[in-house]
Amino acid sequence: MRRVLVLGGTWDARDLAARLDADPAVSVTSSLAGRVRDPVLPVGDVRIGGFGGVDGLAEWLQVNDIDAVVDATHPFAARITANAADATARVDVPLLVLRRREWEPGPGDRWHTVPDLAAAAGAVPALGERVFLTIGRQGVDAFADGSGWFLVRAIDPPDVSMPARSELLLDRGPFSVDDEVSLMRRHRIDVVVTKNSGGALTSAKLEAARRLDIPVVMVSRTPIPVGVASTSDLEVAVRWLTQPHGQRPRIV
Ligand code: NAP
């Protein structure tokens, strides 16, 4: 029996857990941070809450006799990704990062790529007054001093300062392009701000912005730690986990 820890909180992590749970040779535990009040739970065993940094995660891996870890967390969850790299190296447990491909601009897109949320907040005033802020609830405070009007969409209410002139829209994807177009029209949106999360489930806003000729401020990801294997392909991750150690596909 191979014991696998999936660091989750994403649709990809839930898909992976479902695939692994169906394999009688694998025992999978998914881990969630516990940020979302009413999370969509993966199938199989689930643990919720932080591990207590690198030390806590390394200890958890040893106590639970874990054979391999897949970090399938959100591309912007940089702290847990760094912790997973350090903890698995310390206790010599193989680690694979499963991460959706980044979105790429296509013909007709008006993207302004920025390194972080502070730079995104700085870029917004030159692009428009009415802002669709679709970065989740974390980091909304980077826009708290913004003078424009903000439509803030998140699954749960942000527990940080919001811009003075804003409306909160609580909703969970996936969203359709038609719905995103109507939402942006209804609120007379001038500019969209998003993180480069990648994947099809929340990309409708990008297609909608293209159709409406609206600029998009796109926040870049933090790179995966150097030397850590990664893939965007769920099937590759499943093979990596389920084949004997020496026969695992080489992934860089
Ligand atoms: P983060 O900044 O990278 O991590 C902060 C701390 O939260 C970590 O040090 C760890 O605490 C704990 N943690 C994070 N993910 C965990 C997990 N899967 N299982 C157990 N503990 C976890 O993470 P974040 O950006 O706050 O994201 C939290 C969770 O929300 C992640 O699981 C991520 O997949 C999901 N999520 C994040 C975003 C986003 O935009 N950041 C979007 C959608 C979903 P300890 O140090 O105590 O272990």
Side-chain angles (χ1 to χ4, degrees):
M1 179 69 83
R2 181 158 299 156
R3 299 173 65 84
V4 175
L5 172 67
V6 175
L7 297 169
T10 59
W11 293 91
D12 298 331
R14 285 190 283 276
D15 287 348
L16 178 64
R19 286 291 304 274
L20 297 176
D21 192 60
D23 184 337
V26 175
S27 159
V28 61
T29 300
S30 296
S31 176
L32 305 179
R35 297 270 193 285
V36 176
R37 261 184 226 154
D38 180 22
V40 181
L41 291 177
V43 297
D45 291 342
V46 179
R47 65 162 301 286
I48 299 181
F51 293 93
V54 176
D55 293 347
L57 178 53
E59 188 186 338
W60 195 95
L61 296 175
Q62 285 189 312
V63 168
N64 290 279
D65 206 12
I66 296 297
D67 296 305
V69 177
V70 179
D71 171 6
T73 57
H74 191 270
F76 282 80
R79 170 54 41 210
I80 188 70
T81 293
N83 287 0
D86 289 348
T88 53
R90 189 187 292 176
V91 297
D92 198 21
V93 169
L95 168 68
L96 177 68
V97 173
L98 173 63
R99 189 133 304 174
R100 315 165 209 167
R101 278 188 207 290
E102 286 184 296
W103 291 319
E104 307 267 353
D109 280 330
R110 295 170 56 201
W111 284 19
H112 299 257
T113 301
V114 294
D116 52 35
L117 289 172
V124 159
L127 296 170
E129 151 77 12
R130 297 181 65 84
V131 186
F132 182 20
L133 192 56
T134 161
I135 58 167
R137 75 195 170 104
Q138 297 192 59
V140 169
D141 50 338
F143 299 83
D145 295 334
S147 57
W149 179 88
F150 290 76
L151 175 65
V152 180
R153 184 166 69 191
I155 296 176
D156 286 326
D159 47 15
V160 294
S161 313
M162 295 260 291
R165 294 196 299 128
S166 56
E167 181 177 324
L168 180 60
L169 172 61
L170 296 180
D171 207 352
R172 190 191 316 245
F175 307 102
S176 75
V177 176
D178 286 347
D179 287 348
E180 297 287 56
V181 166
S182 336
L183 184 73
M184 291 185 204
R185 280 209 176 114
R186 193 161 65 248
H187 291 282
R188 293 177 287 115
I189 294 299
D190 299 317
V191 51
V192 175
V193 180
T194 183
K195 295 171 178 171
N196 197 332
S197 305
L201 288 168
T202 55
S203 63
K205 59 192 165 193
L206 303 176
E207 171 69 30
R210 186 183 307 143
R211 281 195 200 169
L212 297 171
D213 197 27
I214 291 174
V216 173
V217 178
M218 182 64 70
V219 182
S220 301
R221 300 175 175 186
T222 313
I224 292 168
V226 176
V228 173
S230 68
T231 181
S232 59
D233 188 331
L234 184 86
E235 296 307 323
V236 170
V238 171
R239 282 208 304 281
W240 183 85
L241 284 164
T242 51
Q243 286 181 7
H245 200 44
Q247 295 169 30
R248 282 183 180 158
R250 242 178 75 75
I251 304 172
V252 274

